[in-house]
Amino acid sequence: MSAPLIAIDAMGGDFGPHCIVPASVACLAEFPSLHLVLVGQAPILEELIARHPGVDRARLRVEHASEVIGMDERPSQALRGKPDASMRVALELVRSGRAQACVSAGNTGALMALSRYVLKTLPGIDRPAMVSAVPTAKGVCHLLDLGANVDCSAEHLYQFAVMGSVAAEALGVVRPRVALLNVGMEEIKGNQQVKLAASLLQQAQGLNYTGFIEGDGLYRGEADVVVCDGFVGNILLKSSEGLASMILARIEALFNDGLAARLVGSMALPLLRRLRSDLAPARHNGASFLGLQGIVVKSHGAAGVEGFQSAIRRALVEVRENLPQRLHGRLEDLLL
């Protein structure tokens, strides 16, 4: 394939271009074939790029966009009121074929609304879904939806399951195990939408649906794809990140509690660092918007340089795997 080119909304997120420019420069060094276009206010971006004199400008260019969408701005305002916003210009580059993916740490609601408007959804898909990899005892689980769709019908959950399965296959999972997140394993458990979605999934041909799963089963690695509505998924993801941070902090505090504990801690430090690396939210940062006619990856707004690099890496994988085309090719077979 030709050299991948990814459009970066360089003005989004809590730290904006002061985080995004160095993350982009680091990714260019990591992937020699990668090309990036930073979209945003050109004077600011050029000044920050100048701090990295060794960067290959043949693979990094700037596309000026005069407006910025605020993190607290309503999606409707962003959709109608800022035609030259960095987020929108980056998405237009994907729509026109001048870029193969868009990465943004900006306003999630605005990014979803603009993505649907600019790129449109794939045939058969009513709503795009956000999916990300969550660490488990056996590797990772692909969890969706993560907040794009708070209220979902059974048909929406079914579509999420299909898209999640195809995406997991594209990322190397053979015959992904797909499960519905529920309050119990029994068929009588759950709300009406989950029960109806289970009935639809049981009828699906070519989908490896394994039934209901509870939260602890997710972390034991009992499924490769776990489906829920965005309200539940967002709470689960953020609670998981907070729990992992709390546990690591408590372990470090215990190892500093007295001389004997510090001696034990010094021996355990390499393992603790490895655990911190495995569970660090930055390593798993980057949620894909599945179901669009183009690749869009959402970085956590509070992500630092390392976290934003992970989001760019995710976009690069999806470009190399031609994910939207793979989804389109399988949807006709799997959708009811």
Side-chain angles (χ1 to χ4, degrees):
M1 63 174 292
S2 60
L5 193 154
I6 297 173
I8 307 293
D9 169 17
M11 309 305 291
D14 295 352
F15 308 112
H18 294 278
C19 162
I20 293 170
V21 168
S24 299
V25 170
C27 276
L28 288 172
E30 184 179 358
F31 301 103
S33 66
L34 177 64
H35 288 65
L36 297 177
V37 51
L38 299 181
V39 183
Q41 296 172 355
I44 296 174
L45 298 178
E46 292 291 358
E47 179 184 349
L48 292 170
I49 293 171
R51 300 177 185 178
H52 303 273
V55 66
D56 182 1
R57 290 306 303 264
R59 297 191 292 125
L60 178 68
R61 69 178 181 87
V62 171
E63 180 96 4
H64 181 67
S66 62
E67 297 174 310
V68 178
I69 295 173
M71 295 297 282
D72 58 350
E73 208 162 321
R74 291 184 178 180
S76 57
Q77 293 175 324
L79 193 60
R80 294 193 297 264
K82 292 188 174 179
D84 199 41
S86 57
M87 183 185 292
R88 182 164 188 160
V89 173
L91 290 167
E92 292 284 1
L93 289 173
V94 178
R95 183 194 61 79
S96 66
R98 289 179 290 164
Q100 295 160 287
C102 167
V103 180
S104 175
N107 182 316
T108 303
L111 183 61
M112 178 58 77
L114 284 168
S115 296
R116 291 183 68 178
Y117 178 78
V118 173
L119 299 176
K120 313 302 182 189
T121 57
L122 291 167
I125 297 299
D126 297 326
R127 299 181 182 182
M130 290 177 64
V131 61
S132 187
V134 176
T136 72
K138 297 180 180 179
V140 297
C141 170
H142 301 277
L143 177 66
L144 71 164
D145 179 50
L146 297 178
N149 305 281
V150 174
D151 297 307
C152 297
S153 67
E155 288 75 17
H156 294 143
L157 294 175
Y158 177 85
Q159 291 176 14
F160 297 168
V162 171
M163 292 191 293
S165 178
V166 175
E169 285 181 348
L171 295 171
V173 182
V174 178
R175 194 163 162 72
R177 299 163 297 163
V178 179
L180 276 172
L181 189 63
N182 200 3
V183 295
M185 304 291 289
E186 300 84 359
E187 292 185 5
I188 60 171
K189 296 287 183 70
N191 58 30
Q192 193 66 16
Q193 288 86 349
V194 169
K195 292 177 183 177
L196 288 172
S199 178
L200 293 175
L201 288 167
Q202 287 165 356
Q203 302 172 42
Q205 300 294 320
L207 197 68
N208 186 17
Y209 174 62
T210 59
F212 292 143
I213 192 171
E214 296 181 70
D216 56 346
L218 185 158
Y219 289 106
R220 284 197 296 267
E222 294 175 1
D224 303 300
V225 177
V226 171
V227 178
C228 58
D229 64 49
F231 185 86
V232 172
N234 190 270
I235 291 174
L236 174 61
L237 181 68
K238 291 179 179 176
S239 298
S240 302
E241 291 174 352
L243 178 62
S245 297
M246 184 273 290
I247 290 174
L248 290 169
R250 291 289 296 271
I251 292 173
E252 288 183 345
L254 288 172
F255 282 148
N256 288 315
D257 187 16
L259 178 60
R262 285 196 292 272
L263 289 172
V264 174
S266 65
M267 292 184 287
L269 190 59
L271 292 176
L272 183 59
R273 286 174 175 166
R274 180 177 174 182
L275 178 63
R276 178 179 289 279
S277 174
D278 289 344
L279 297 181
R283 180 175 180 180
H284 304 281
N285 182 52
S288 304
F289 284 6
L290 292 182
L292 295 166
Q293 296 185 41
I295 295 169
V296 178
V297 173
K298 171 67 174 70
S299 169
H300 197 298
V305 172
E306 182 184 355
F308 199 84
Q309 283 180 252
S310 294
I312 297 176
R313 291 189 196 105
R314 171 122 193 169
L316 182 57
V317 168
E318 294 188 11
V319 168
R320 288 173 170 169
E321 294 297 332
N322 213 3
L323 187 57
Q325 285 72 22
R326 291 184 68 159
L327 273 170
H328 180 62
R330 291 290 310 280
L331 289 177
E332 289 186 359
D333 297 331
L334 292 173
L335 288 178
L336 298 175

